[in-house]
Amino acid sequence: SGFKLLMELYAPHEEREDLEYLIGYIDRIDSYGPTDLLKGLDPQTAKIVQEGLLKTTLESLRQADGKNDQEICIIMGQILDGALKRGKLRKVARAEADQAEFPFGSEIAIVKNHTGGPMTTDFLFERGARAVIYTDGFNIGVTRKDGETFSLKDLLESEVKKRESGWFFHEHGFLAARGTFTNPSETSSTITPEEIAKIVNNKLSKL
């Protein structure tokens, strides 16, 4: 693809590595068309996913307020800058996932000093984890794999609230946390990730 050629000609080696997933994605679309990526999906789902493709984003920009090519290039440049940062974060996330602890087998993972964001948990979910406990500064939390039906609120709320305040339990059960990215905790938790893992493991074993 033209994008792959431009990266080979002008991008530093490290940045080509960071953008490897995007280069491969664009190259495949150029070679086989966007429908090749979506052929495993039913038609309705494919239409929904196609709205998020990079090509569709570019076409949407062309339709917005009569933007000219120079304006579109500036905006697409910002999008690609973001993609590069995501590529760098992907490396961090993969390294964090490689260093994760599994105190009760592959279904429950612990990540300490978590900086890789959702990508780290996604890597761990791909490797079989059903729940991931993480720490980030004073923050501590648990997130559940998409598609799982157990509720972290049901598993943790009663026991955790007996020991300390400040925890948030999402009503839909996919998250329990003491401190978040947007509202970080100012004090450390008295409950360790290992203790959270033990509670989750014990409760899951009884479901």
Side-chain angles (χ1 to χ4, degrees):
S1 66
F3 184 73
K4 181 179 181 180
L5 178 61
L6 286 172
M7 293 297 100
E8 290 174 347
L9 288 174
Y10 300 111
H13 177 73
E14 181 182 351
E15 293 190 356
R16 289 203 305 274
E17 286 188 342
D18 293 336
L19 286 171
E20 182 179 8
Y21 73 101
L22 181 61
I23 293 169
Y25 161 76
I26 293 175
D27 200 46
R28 183 171 173 181
I29 287 179
D30 277 359
S31 299
Y32 304 107
T35 55
D36 179 70
L37 291 173
L38 308 174
K39 60 186 178 184
L41 304 176
D42 65 84
Q44 187 60 34
T45 303
K47 287 179 182 178
I48 294 170
V49 173
Q50 194 162 5
E51 284 301 306
L53 294 177
L54 196 60
K55 180 176 181 291
T56 308
T57 301
L58 177 58
E59 291 173 353
S60 297
L61 288 172
R62 286 177 175 151
Q63 300 297 325
D65 301 324
K67 285 184 169 54
N68 59 41
D69 287 347
Q70 183 178 2
E71 290 174 317
I72 291 173
C73 282
I74 291 171
I75 295 171
M76 290 303 294
Q78 293 172 334
I79 291 173
L80 292 175
D81 281 343
L84 178 59
K85 290 178 181 178
R86 280 177 54 81
K88 293 181 183 298
L89 186 61
R90 187 180 296 267
K91 283 185 175 179
V92 173
R94 185 177 287 112
E96 284 187 348
D98 289 342
Q99 296 169 7
E101 302 170 17
F102 296 87
F104 300 102
S106 62
E107 292 190 350
I108 300 175
I110 296 175
V111 180
K112 296 176 180 177
N113 303 314
H114 175 48
T115 59
M119 287 186 187
T120 301
T121 53
D122 286 345
F123 279 128
L124 290 167
F125 291 147
E126 289 173 5
R127 299 176 189 184
R130 300 174 67 194
V132 177
I133 298 102
Y134 61 87
T135 62
D136 169 18
F138 289 143
N139 297 341
I140 182 171
V142 196
T143 185
R144 179 191 70 189
K145 182 179 181 180
D146 285 350
E148 292 287 350
T149 57
F150 65 85
S151 168
L152 290 170
K153 177 181 173 69
D154 293 343
L155 298 186
L156 290 168
E157 186 173 28
S158 61
E159 292 198 40
V160 167
K161 280 190 171 181
K162 291 176 185 176
R163 297 186 51 180
E164 69 178 357
S165 60
W167 279 80
F168 163 76
F169 300 91
H170 198 281
E171 62 181 32
H172 294 301
F174 63 84
L175 174 71
R178 187 178 187 275
T180 63
F181 175 76
T182 55
N183 186 28
S185 176
E186 296 181 354
T187 59
S188 60
S189 173
T190 60
I191 306 174
T192 67
E194 290 79 9
E195 289 174 303
I196 295 294
K198 185 176 181 179
I199 296 171
V200 173
N201 181 67
N202 289 342
K203 294 289 184 70
L204 285 180
S205 67
K206 297 175 183 177
L207 293 180

